[in-house]
Amino acid sequence: MTSQVAQAYDTLVLRHPKLVLVALLAVLVFFAYYAKDFRLDASADSLLLEDDVDLQTFRKMHERYPSADLLIVTYTPDQDLFSDPSLETLKQLREELRKVGSVDSVFTILDAPLLKSSDQSFTEMINDVPSLEKGGIDPGRAKEEMLNSPIYSELILSADGGTTALLLGLVEDQAYNALGQSRNDLRAKKRDTGLSAKESQTLKGIEAEYIQTRDALNEQRSHDIAQIRDIIEPYRAGAELYLGGLPMITDDMVTFVRNDLTIFGGGVLAFLIIVLTVIFRKLRWIVLPLLSCFYAGLIMMGVLGVTGWNVTVISSNFLALMLIITISMNIHLIVRYRQLRQDHPDDDQVALVRTTTHKMVKPCLYTALTTIIGFGSLVVSDIKPVIDFGWMMSAGLAVTFATSFLLFPTLLIVMGKTKSVPAVKSDRFLLPAYLARLTETQGNKILLLAAVLTVAGAAGISQLRVENSFINYFSDDTEIYQGLKLIDDKLGGTTPLEVLIKFPDEPDDFFTPEELAEMDPYERQLELEYAESMADAPEYWFTPDKVQRIKEVHDYLEGLPEIGKVLSLASAVRVAEDAIGEELDAMLLALLYTKIPAEVRKDMIDPYVSIEANEARLFARVLDSKPDLRRKQLLETVRRDMGEKLEFKAEEVTLSGLLVLYNNMLQSLFSSQIKTLGVVMLGIAIMFLILFRSIPLAIIGILPNLLGAGVVLGVMGWAKIPMDMMTITIAAITIGIAVDNGIHYIYRFREEYAQTKDYVETMRICHSSIGKAVFYTTLTIIIGFVILVFSNFNPTIYFGVLIAAAMFIALLAALTVLPKLILMWKPFG
């Protein structure tokens, strides 16, 4: 502190502690009120890349091919699926599901149009399409047709005929869709050309209304999903049923986030009480840190409520992290105060607190800033939830620092000075003293071991991969995992890949080259003019050449081992061809489009062609649980083969769908890792230079802290643990938090060395004083992160375990490698 700031702090805070507490209480009441607006967001938007070009393509594509959200109920009866009891049970289940508010339609094997299981002519079937429910259909023939159907096989019926899917189309909220479209258009304009003041205000209003509408929709969906689960529960007595689909996953993710917040907050709080009790064994040193944690946590929840900042799956552990870091800072203050209380027993309480805050504010400020840099480095990532997590924790750390130097000292002054001086007891934790002796006697071996671990870590880092299966994000005992696995194994895969084929706008598509060659020039001119005039007529768009090209792409995709079910116009055409026993010519294709019932056309043709855009859409599902799936390689292979094997021009083919967006996010992890590490290292180096004004001390402070992050990233590489949206943050967060140990240790070492002028003696003193505080704080951090293993979200579990391991390694490095480098380098003269 400068003298002026110190005097102002002493006057305004330490001399008027009760007034400060009243002011802090008023602030708490204000933000506690807005904590009611604290929101959770597990929507797909929260997992997307900012400014992803493919995301814009994806949204435009779904404007042309709108599709309602879909829930899937898988049904595997104990009896034969096509037996009368199983079909009757299926019918009852379907009728109950139709009564759910959000459900617009339910499609099952009972409703599937059947063209080969009836003895009617094709013309008769067009007017009245048969199905299992209409009667007159032999279940055995129906089963055989569905098993061999290009549409139904592995869509609503598994290849073994034992599992079926009930497809629940959900009611679309048109107002919500319109708001989303308006929001996306304004955001795109903001990125491209910027917005006027009026447009910016409009965007702000639309975003607020969009969130409000989304929350209401999610609440309704959550209620209806719970109702669906209640409906299917009694049917589990005679069958195996699972609920799947993106709306269910989103709803369950919100539940996971809520549970994680409760488990992390409550679990961390319980363990920290135990740790504080074991370390200090005095009520005030348990109550004071916990009050600071409660205050900082509630203030931050209020900040998130005021700003409308939503917590996502990635940032769901922010509350636990704030508790951990707040406790850590408070432990440093407690240890310093207790030491001063012992060394200066005659000083009054205000003097003791003043000395404690004056001595600790500088290292605590720099540790807060370096930790902010660690979390703040995440904002240079390309991944939206990671960016939000970085900003959120940076703001939380500012709240933590303010709380530690406003609430903690004023409460301590009001509570008064204890009557007796703490007696000097033998250490209950022997690790710091042991590490001091080890560093003194085996320092060179420690440096050699650190070098070996660094090389091994670097080798492991070179093997890091980003391929990860979404299904593996969840524990195998969750319904999300079990439902996704069943759908992946038996019903054609999970993650969608969509291929758009753009046809050239040429009227001679109506005729083959041979037909044109047989015409005289006058006739050819008339025919081409007629064809051009009819080009936009739907019944004339379906030419054999276009259908053949779609079939080629369909068969190619279906032949890839990573891809399960493929649906396209070719699927419907092949069903019709199989029914009449011949390929469809132009006339029959036109008949197929114009004569079939509107509902059938809506389901089987309209989702796969856009006559206005002159393009076809193929919808494929990737086997996400396939162990050797390589998404980037798969997409590159499809793009290459569409040109080389199927002879499409690059501009005629577009790959889209969730697979592309998910792959983009995964591939961005490497660049994001490099960016975040670069920013955190640069920021921390600057902090060390400002604090110590010494390049050697900056290097000494940074090197040991790289060890923990490097070793853990190396372990991830060697163990084939893939990087994901959470593990990408490990290195930056570990360095940002672990460097606090180095700052506190070096700061105290410089202070003590000025008295002793003996490096070895100073090291011993530091290990017995600040070394204990470093050990205590790191212990609380490790325990806090280990609590994350109770999450249902596997990336959160990896995040907790790996950071805990990295912090333990960083602790050992801070109390061995760092002091050994100081002894070797002698930076203080």
Side-chain angles (χ1 to χ4, degrees), residues 482-535:
Q482 293 168 352
L484 287 175
K485 190 73 169 68
L486 180 66
I487 293 170
D488 222 35
D489 292 342
K490 294 191 174 185
L491 293 169
T494 47
T495 311
L497 169 63
E498 301 175 51
V499 181
L500 294 182
I501 302 172
K502 179 75 174 177
F503 292 104
D505 297 319
E506 297 176 3
D508 57 4
D509 284 348
F510 287 88
F511 307 100
T512 66
E514 293 76 13
E515 290 173 333
L516 289 172
E518 292 174 0
M519 301 177 189
D520 60 56
Y522 179 72
E523 181 186 9
R524 184 186 303 118
Q525 181 64 27
L526 288 177
E527 292 289 358
L528 288 176
E529 287 178 0
Y530 173 75
E532 187 173 3
S533 68
M534 298 299 295

Side-chain angles (χ1 to χ4, degrees), residues 275-391:
V275 170
L276 291 171
T277 303
V278 171
I279 293 173
F280 298 116
R281 299 187 181 182
K282 208 167 185 61
L283 184 61
R284 70 162 53 194
W285 305 131
I286 300 171
V287 172
L288 277 175
L290 293 182
L291 286 175
S292 294
C293 288
F294 171 78
Y295 187 91
L298 192 55
I299 289 289
M300 194 58 200
M301 290 178 69
V303 169
L304 298 182
V306 168
T307 58
W309 217 343
N310 292 336
V311 172
T312 66
V313 175
I314 308 305
S315 53
S316 62
N317 50 25
F318 92 96
L319 189 58
L321 291 173
M322 279 199 65
L323 292 176
I324 293 167
I325 295 170
T326 304
I327 286 285
S328 300
M329 193 169 290
N330 277 235
I331 286 176
H332 278 291
L333 292 172
I334 293 171
V335 170
R336 189 63 170 207
Y337 171 85
R338 281 160 59 92
Q339 182 185 2
L340 290 169
R341 175 73 175 86
Q342 183 176 315
D343 295 342
H344 306 282
D346 297 329
D347 287 358
D348 62 23
Q349 183 73 339
V350 174
L352 288 171
V353 173
R354 181 190 300 116
T355 307
T356 300
T357 53
H358 285 201
K359 285 185 174 294
M360 293 304 298
V361 68
K362 203 167 190 179
C364 284
L365 174 63
Y366 278 90
T367 56
L369 289 174
T370 52
T371 309
I372 287 174
I373 289 171
F375 283 102
S377 67
L378 302 178
V379 303
V380 302
S381 166
D382 299 317
I383 305 167
K384 185 178 183 297
V386 175
I387 296 170
D388 290 343
F389 183 42
W391 284 118

Side-chain angles (χ1 to χ4, degrees), residues 565-576:
K565 186 66 180 175
V566 181
L567 291 172
S568 69
L569 176 64
S571 306
V573 169
R574 280 173 170 155
V575 168

